[in-house]
Amino acid sequence: MPDHSTLSSLLLHSRDLALRHDAHPFSQTIRPGEIVGLAGLDGHGQERFLEIMAGLKKPAQGTICLGGPNAEIRISDFRMAVANGIAYLPRDRRATGIFPMQSVLDNFAISTVGRDARFGLISAASRLRRYQSYRDRLSISAPRPDAAITTLSGGNQQKVLLARALALEPRLLLLNDPTRGVDVATRHVLYDVFRGLAAEGMALVVLSSEIEEILLLCHRVLVFRDHGLTAEMTGAAMNTESVISAMFGRAA
C-alpha cells in the first residue's frame, strides 16, 4: 500500500462535482499509485461518477481536471480523457467491450492502431509484438492471435480488454466491475496485475459490486448514496460493516 504522504503529484481532481441537479456536490482527488474503490447500492451514483471521470457523461455541475493546480487540463469528453492518459474498462464486455466478429489481435489493437504504423502502413510484426507482451503479462490463454475473440472464455476476453486499455499507457485506469463474470483464478490474476500497476505509479479507480473485493484491493473506498458521496474510508475504518452502513445511510 502506498504512503499517501509521499505521493508527490495530484493526478485527478473533481471540484464541486454534482452528479445530479438535486445532489450534494463534492470534491475528490486521485493520486498516482493508489487504488480507490467505489461502492454503493445500484443506481446511487458511483457508476455515474466513474463515467464522468472517463468523459462519457457530463456532471450536473463542477469539473474533472487532470494535473496540478498550476497546469490543469479539464476533461470534457471521452476523446480528451483518452488523449490525456485516462483509460476506461466497461462493465458489460459483450455489449460495449468486445467486437465479436473480430479476432483477438484486432480487439486488442483497435484503440492503438497508430502505434503500429511504419511509414504510413500498419506493421503486423509490431502489432503482434505488442499483443504478445500484454498476453504474457496478463496470462491471456488464446489458441492464436487470429482466433475469433468469442472462442475465448469470459475471463480471457476480459484480459484482452484490459490489455487494450493498458496499451494506451494510461496514468489513470477506471475499472467498472472488472471481475464480473470471471472465474476465481482469473480474479486473482487481475488482482495481482492491478496491484502491480499501482506499485508502478498508475492510479486505479475500481467500481465493484462486491464489497469484499474493494476491501481486498483498495487503499481507500468512496461510498455513494442518493447520487452523493456519503463516506470516505481508509485503514481500519474500511470494513464490511462500515461500508454497508454507509450504503444504507446508517451509522456504523
Side-chain angles (χ1 to χ4, degrees):
M1 184 180 299
D3 179 352
H4 292 269
S5 66
T6 64
L7 292 172
S8 59
S9 62
L10 178 100
L11 178 56
L12 180 139
H13 182 66
S14 66
R15 182 180 295 117
D16 297 325
L17 197 74
L19 304 180
R20 296 198 319 193
H21 291 291
D22 59 350
H24 292 293
F26 62 91
S27 297
Q28 262 299 315
T29 61
I30 309 294
R31 297 185 182 276
E34 68 173 345
I35 307 177
V36 179
L38 306 183
L41 299 171
D42 281 349
H44 275 248
Q46 64 274 21
E47 185 170 25
R48 187 171 187 86
F49 179 49
L50 196 74
E51 291 172 335
I52 288 171
M53 287 189 287
L56 291 167
K57 291 187 177 177
K58 305 287 187 184
Q61 75 170 60
T63 58
I64 294 284
C65 295
L66 279 170
N70 298 321
E72 287 189 338
I73 300 170
R74 182 172 175 176
I75 300 302
S76 59
D77 57 40
F78 182 70
R79 185 183 296 272
M80 178 177 283
V82 172
N84 287 281
I86 298 177
Y88 174 74
L89 190 68
R91 174 185 293 221
D92 190 339
R93 61 177 172 269
R94 288 185 176 85
T96 59
I98 67 169
F99 294 89
M101 302 303 292
Q102 302 298 318
S103 70
V104 172
L105 184 58
D106 287 339
N107 268 272
F108 161 75
I110 197 164
S111 297
T112 50
V113 171
R115 301 189 184 192
D116 302 315
R118 299 292 185 273
F119 307 109
L121 300 173
I122 298 298
S123 168
S126 172
R127 186 171 69 155
L128 183 59
R129 281 194 302 271
R130 286 199 309 115
Y131 164 72
Q132 288 171 336
S133 69
Y134 287 101
R135 178 199 64 191
D136 294 343
R137 179 170 189 178
L138 300 179
S139 301
I140 297 171
S141 179
R144 57 186 192 278
D146 62 349
I149 194 166
T150 51
T151 64
L152 304 190
S153 67
N156 282 293
Q157 290 179 21
Q158 188 75 333
K159 290 178 184 178
V160 172
L161 295 184
L162 178 59
R164 179 203 296 170
L166 295 180
L168 293 166
E169 299 178 356
R171 294 185 291 157
L172 173 62
L173 182 60
L174 306 175
L175 302 164
N176 192 338
D177 228 351
T179 66
R180 181 184 183 213
V182 305
D183 59 67
V184 173
T186 300
R187 280 175 182 247
H188 287 286
V189 169
L190 294 177
Y191 293 164
D192 287 343
V193 169
F194 298 155
R195 293 185 185 107
L197 293 170
E200 293 169 3
M202 187 183 296
L204 295 87
V205 179
V206 182
L207 185 158
S208 178
S209 54
E210 298 185 23
I211 296 172
E212 294 80 6
E213 183 167 88
I214 286 176
L215 298 177
L216 181 67
L217 266 180
C218 300
H219 305 130
R220 60 188 173 105
V221 58
L222 308 178
V223 184
F224 288 78
R225 179 171 172 79
D226 294 332
H227 298 275
L229 177 60
T230 190
E232 177 178 355
M233 302 172 192
T234 59
M238 276 178 57
N239 58 68
T240 302
E241 182 182 358
S242 295
V243 173
I244 291 176
S245 295
M247 288 167 60
F248 285 92
R250 304 191 301 258

